[in-house]
Amino acid sequence: MPTNLPPVTRNLLIANVLVFALQFLLRDQDTLALTRWFALWPYGHDMAVDLGGGDIAGIGFRPWQLVTYGFMHGSVMHIVLNMYALYMFGGLIERVMGTRRFVIYYFVCLVAAAVAQLAVVYLFEPERMYPTVGASGAVFGLLGAFAMLFPREKLMLIPIPIGIPAWLFVTLYGAAELIFGVTGTLSGVAHFAHLGGLVAGLALLLAWGVRSPPRQWS
């Protein structure tokens, strides 16, 4: 792990990788050893699940899942993409914000993403009973912070090999997530959790008095 990363970003990376390794060792995809307790389950009544061998488990929402779900991931590609984004943006934003504010910012985005996901499932998909995992909500908050702090820095929207100003990149990405979420495109992705983290992050920055520098058009 690069030693020049600031402490919170470095520790978040380590924690996510260790939890994913534990998921692998416990064969969590089959046993639900961690998912049962720490993934984000829909709000409401518990669901009885047969874990095999006569073991019946009651699975459902618990308050701590608002945080713990953000340290679990569903696949190697899932954690690689999220940790790459955390590595790319987290260290820079932590240096700009300072350790205390970065911790607050990251976890506000993470919890807001969870609340958004719970609300959408509760209101529009009440019969759905499968969990949400991943740091994507917090990562979208980091993207929003980058766009606010460095709006003219260029980012690349795969597969388009052209640099796009950060403010436009995040605007387009957010619009795409909204469209995907409303239309049900790319099912299995928590689009509204992503939007929840992004919106909460931008709102918190505005509450702290952070404003984008004026844009220069050319």
Side-chain angles (χ1 to χ4, degrees):
M1 190 70 62
T3 57
N4 61 343
L5 278 176
V8 176
T9 300
R10 182 175 65 249
N11 290 334
L12 285 171
L13 287 166
I14 293 170
N16 275 274
V17 171
L18 287 178
V19 171
F20 187 71
L22 187 59
Q23 287 180 257
F24 178 78
L25 291 173
L26 295 176
R27 296 185 296 110
D28 180 70
Q29 192 168 10
D30 298 320
T31 65
L32 303 183
L34 296 180
T35 295
R36 171 182 174 182
W37 297 107
F38 302 114
L40 181 68
W41 290 90
Y43 180 79
H45 298 295
D46 284 9
M47 174 181 66
V49 175
D50 185 358
L51 298 179
D55 184 11
I56 304 297
I59 295 178
F61 173 75
R62 303 291 185 269
W64 59 80
Q65 295 169 4
L66 293 169
V67 172
T68 57
Y69 86 101
F71 291 88
M72 300 180 64
H73 290 83
S75 68
V76 172
M77 184 58 67
H78 190 200
I79 190 171
V80 166
L81 291 175
N82 276 341
M83 293 306 98
Y84 178 72
L86 177 57
Y87 173 84
M88 290 293 294
F89 299 108
L92 175 61
I93 294 169
E94 184 178 347
R95 290 188 185 96
V96 173
M97 287 186 177
T99 297
R100 178 176 173 275
R101 278 201 169 186
F102 181 77
V103 169
I104 294 171
Y105 184 84
Y106 186 90
F107 284 100
V108 164
C109 293
L110 188 69
V111 172
V115 171
Q117 178 70 4
L118 290 175
V120 168
V121 171
Y122 183 80
L123 293 173
F124 301 108
E125 303 177 80
E127 300 304 316
R128 196 179 90 167
M129 196 60 191
Y130 54 86
T132 300
V133 295
S136 302
V139 164
F140 266 76
L142 296 180
L143 278 173
F146 185 83
M148 180 76 82
L149 295 167
F150 308 100
R152 290 184 292 276
E153 291 294 321
K154 298 294 180 69
L155 296 174
M156 215 171 276
L157 186 64
I158 298 172
I160 304 172
I162 301 173
I164 303 173
W167 69 269
L168 181 57
F169 178 94
V170 172
T171 300
L172 292 174
Y173 208 160
E177 287 291 326
L178 180 60
I179 293 170
F180 292 155
V182 170
T183 60
T185 307
L186 298 178
S187 61
V189 178
H191 301 293
F192 289 103
H194 298 169
L195 289 170
L198 175 61
V199 171
L202 294 175
L204 183 56
L205 289 174
L206 292 174
W208 283 342
V210 177
R211 299 291 186 273
S212 296
R215 292 177 192 147
Q216 295 177 349
W217 299 87
S218 59

